[in-house]
Amino acid sequence: MRDIAISLKNIQWVRGDKTILQDINWTVQSGEHWAVLGLNGSGKTSLLNVVTGYQFPTKGTVTVLGNEYGKSNLQSVRKRIGFVSNSLNRFLTTFNQETALEIVMSGKFASVGLYEEVQEEEWKMAYQLLEAFRIEDQANQRYATLSQGEQRRVLLARAFSAQPDILVLDEPCAGLDIRAREELLRSLSEQTNQSGTSLIYVTHHIEEILPEITHVLLLADGNIVASGLKEESLTADSLSKAFKIPVDVEWKHGRPWLQVTAGII
């Protein structure tokens, strides 16, 4: 029996007079790869904040990597969780002064900036991650000079350098053109296959769901619409409920593609 990576039981989060998350029960087994889908405002980001311990629920129990929140050292748990999100932009002042290679290396130490002595072998491993994400030619370029797609691949390589047990990607393709998106997804697919990391991929574009994704959690208005194996969860009915518009879904090359079939419900 596999270990449980994430366990959320009877989670509710109320902010003021608004219920953000309601009756969330979700279990992620170690080695599973999940996509979390929903419209903006559906509760995706709030769910991530609960998983990473940056937001405590009003009710319910959160257990991550065997550690129940409120009874464990959160900092030690967070070191085992990789996180790529637009929220990392708050570190742009530091990132912009560093090279791509230095940023990847800092991920190993879960720091922004390098403050540790780095061994030659560690530099080689960081460079290999840049190779894995097809950005090794920019290893010595400043982050500020890279394209948006290149910056996103650097941050993904940085996340993998810490060898996390769980990697949370919050809309990593947001703002990318179709070519940059597909280049990033291809590299992510290859790296996911090589690592033992459990992937949590958050998006509202189902075409970003790679063949490596095994399960899907669909959210709407803070509630779970569907949860389980992706082929069983990504149905026209469940997606129409989650996206609040009639849609159909078609599978091509192991990836789902959405088609709107009528106007707003």
Side-chain angles (χ1 to χ4, degrees), residues 167-196:
L167 177 57
V168 178
L169 305 182
D170 187 7
E171 300 190 17
C173 294
L176 301 185
D177 61 40
I178 188 169
R179 178 173 177 173
R181 182 192 75 179
E182 291 303 311
E183 287 175 344
L184 184 147
L185 289 174
R186 180 175 62 171
S187 297
L188 177 61
S189 174
E190 293 170 354
Q191 193 60 29
T192 298
N193 281 327
Q194 295 175 21
S195 73

Side-chain angles (χ1 to χ4, degrees), residues 8 11-13 15 18-24 35-50 170-171 201-206 216-226 238-244:
L8 305 185
I11 296 299
Q12 182 185 59
W13 181 39
R15 184 173 59 190
K18 185 176 182 181
T19 299
I20 308 298
L21 295 172
Q22 178 69 37
D23 296 328
I24 301 296
V36 179
L37 284 167
L39 294 173
N40 291 334
S42 62
K44 301 189 303 296
T45 298
S46 298
L47 184 74
L48 295 189
N49 287 335
V50 168
D170 187 7
E171 300 190 17
Y201 189 103
V202 181
T203 184
H204 50 262
H205 297 293
I206 74 167
V216 166
L217 181 72
L218 268 175
L219 294 175
D221 302 319
N223 293 278
I224 294 177
V225 173
S238 62
L239 287 166
S240 296
K241 289 178 181 177
F243 293 144
K244 301 181 181 180

Side-chain angles (χ1 to χ4, degrees), residues 3 25 88 98 113 121 132 143 146 165 206 223 254-255 264:
D3 294 334
N25 288 280
L88 293 175
E98 297 182 315
E121 191 61 32
Y143 186 80
L146 301 177
D165 294 292
I206 74 167
N223 293 278
R255 289 167 65 180
I264 297 293

Side-chain angles (χ1 to χ4, degrees), residues 54 83 85-95:
Y54 290 105
F83 191 47
S85 163
N86 283 335
S87 66
L88 293 175
N89 286 339
R90 67 186 185 273
F91 302 122
L92 269 181
T93 301
T94 301
F95 284 161

